[in-house]
Amino acid sequence: MRNRPPFGVTIAAIAGLLFLHLPLAFIFLYAFTTEEKSYQFPPPGFTLQWFGVAWNRPDIWAALGLSVRVAAMATGIALILGTLAAAAVARHRFFGREAISLLITLPIALPGIVTGIALRAALNLADIPFSFWTIVIGHATFCIVVVYNNAVARLRRTQGSLIEASMDLGADGFQTFRHVVLPQLGTALFAGGMLAFALSFDEVIVTTFTAGQQQTLPIWMFSELIRPRQRPVTNVVAVMVIAVTLIPILAAYYLTRDAETVGGEGK
Amino acid sequence: MTDATIPAVRFRAVSRHFGETRAVDAVDLEIRAGEFFAMLGPSGSGKTTCLRLIAGFEQPSAGSIEIFGEHAEGVPPYRRSVNTVFQDYALFPHMTVGENVAYGLMVKGVGKAERTARARDMLALVKLAGFEARKPAQLSGGQRQRVALARALINHPKVLLLDEPLGALDLKLREQMQVELKSLQRSLGITFVFVTHDQGEALSMADRVAVFNAGKIAQIGAPEDIYERPQTRFVADFVGGSNVIEPDAAIRLGLPAGLYSLRPEKIVLGAGGLTGKVESLQYQGAHRRYVVAIGPDRLGVVTPASGPAFPVGATVALAIPDGAAHRMEGGA
């Protein structure tokens, strides 16, 4: 009774959420429209034909394939480098530790356009041609951040005495990492990797600066907006992108939530 | 098994400094093979650092450490025949109880069938038979401690280190574990070294006690020695809250001049040549604890609760029986 918020606040909250999410509903709606040139409301009719059209477009498959490969590679790099950086920062005190922590997390705070321009300038200066790998490097800069943040948070919550207990019982450094540290980090790394994959998968700005002629899926969608025909195909692809990015994010959310009890165990 | 003349642990002028702080300051120490040894002291006195030096989590800044005659400097924790029961137990949360106990065997490459069987035996030894499949989070504090004990003992260590082993348990469980630890130590014959800030725990369990103060050992000896014959003001006060009597007060109380430790339960209340006034009274179940003012001096007095009670403000006669006051050698 007492905790019920005022009516106006409830309305404002609902309006805010609708404003955030209603446009997504239109994406879904226009994936099924029969009108291919403009977004008229209400749609004149509904059809599933655009799913078939999208399925048969080789340019979509090429873009999707590139995006998946870039995201997988960037996530892989981020998992390795992010974990190593987190281990160093969480376990040791050294000069400049806070500065390094800030430098690692900075790329996610920097506007993508700055990262993009900087990378492009650097690649040009180094005479490196644009390729699959330049996109991967661009994405890895911000993918490392999410892995690092997840791993650092988990390492800080893990009892230091667990590592000592393992060493005490006869495990060397490698065995301790494999049997104690890695299982503790497991869900955090999985969650960080999922988020990194999702971030990479829908990245546009950095990609436009670091890709040559290749199109990742978001870039393909962007270029498709100015086309006059077969507009609903873009919506079909958008629906797919939402599905592909939402599932890992939800998985990451539930995994890290359950892990709270694991990390806090021991007292 | 082991030569009884070689000490289990020997410290020679061992120091451990953290920056400016001397956590352990030139400590000499011998822990005999097969004894139950207590390191007693307030927090920050260096007792836990000494334990960590034996375990190998810390390296001495100076001095040398021998474990059963072998130099320990530079030997990592995983190559020492020493195992630790951690204060927070440090059970691996992602493993079952059985896997926790078998961990030491697993990293040594012992086969699965053998380590499962030995883990089962160990759990039976600590009275947790049948708990193999549970996770540490499903256990009570006392059960977790038994798992930590089983896990540390499965490697057959020559020395078992226990860091405040009973600190997190409630009183009844603590008393029960004191008895069990003692009998376990006797039956296994392993040297136990435990750290505690609880003087009652140290006196009741240990064969010998080292009292730590400010990075040094203030006194080392059997529990009776420590309790009855404290050598310094610190030991007298820290172990059992003895009355420390300064030389001038000693003369006023009819003792020869000198620094004395006088146990509060040795003072006779209700008869004798001294007269005092009861300043405070605490009823503690089995005992009554008084503070009695005798002129400018104050004495803590403990009497059995079954005897007569004296109210606050009452004038009371009291006596210090011959030999009750122990004259201390050390000044500080």
Side-chain angles (χ1 to χ4, degrees), chain B residues 154-217:
Chain B
I154 202 162
N155 281 348
H156 299 303
K158 288 180 178 169
V159 181
L160 184 75
L161 308 176
L162 303 109
D163 187 4
E164 300 271 3
L166 310 176
L169 305 180
D170 58 46
L171 182 64
K172 191 154 183 269
L173 210 52
R174 204 182 313 165
E175 285 170 350
Q176 185 191 340
M177 278 310 286
Q178 284 183 13
V179 176
E180 283 187 31
L181 276 178
K182 186 80 189 159
S183 71
L184 198 62
Q185 192 264 340
R186 272 209 201 97
S187 63
L188 294 172
I190 294 175
T191 311
F192 276 32
V193 180
F194 83 108
V195 154
T196 181
H197 63 269
D198 182 323
Q199 47 105 3
E201 215 168 277
L203 296 179
S204 65
M205 283 201 288
D207 298 320
R208 285 197 310 147
V209 179
V211 185
F212 279 77
N213 181 31
K216 289 177 182 292
I217 294 179

Side-chain angles (χ1 to χ4, degrees), chain A residues 158-185 261-267, chain B residues 52 55 57 77-80 82-86 88-95 100 103-108 136-137 144 151-152 154-155 161:
Chain A
T158 304
Q159 295 163 274
S161 58
L162 288 183
I163 291 162
E164 286 188 346
S166 171
M167 305 282 259
D168 186 73
L169 291 164
D172 59 28
F174 176 74
Q175 286 173 315
T176 298
F177 182 77
R178 190 178 142 208
H179 296 298
V180 176
V181 179
L182 207 54
Q184 289 290 306
L185 274 181
T261 51
V262 175
E265 197 279 324
K267 286 276 170 186
Chain B
R52 294 173 60 79
F57 301 135
Y78 53 86
R79 284 212 212 98
R80 297 188 181 201
V82 168
N83 285 117
T84 308
V85 175
F86 289 82
D88 61 4
Y89 314 140
L91 301 180
F92 305 125
H94 58 286
M95 296 183 195
N100 261 287
Y103 187 84
L105 301 176
M106 193 257 294
V107 296
K108 274 192 201 131
R144 282 181 205 177
R151 185 178 69 172
I154 202 162
N155 281 348
L161 308 176

Side-chain angles (χ1 to χ4, degrees), chain A residues 265-267, chain B residues 89 91 136-137 139-148:
Chain A
E265 197 279 324
K267 286 276 170 186
Chain B
Y89 314 140
L91 301 180
L139 304 182
S140 70
Q143 290 168 335
R144 282 181 205 177
Q145 196 200 22
R146 286 162 193 266
V147 175

Side-chain angles (χ1 to χ4, degrees), chain B residues 263-275:
Chain B
R263 291 287 162 200
E265 67 275 14
K266 292 199 172 170
I267 300 171
V268 177
L269 211 56
L274 295 164
T275 309

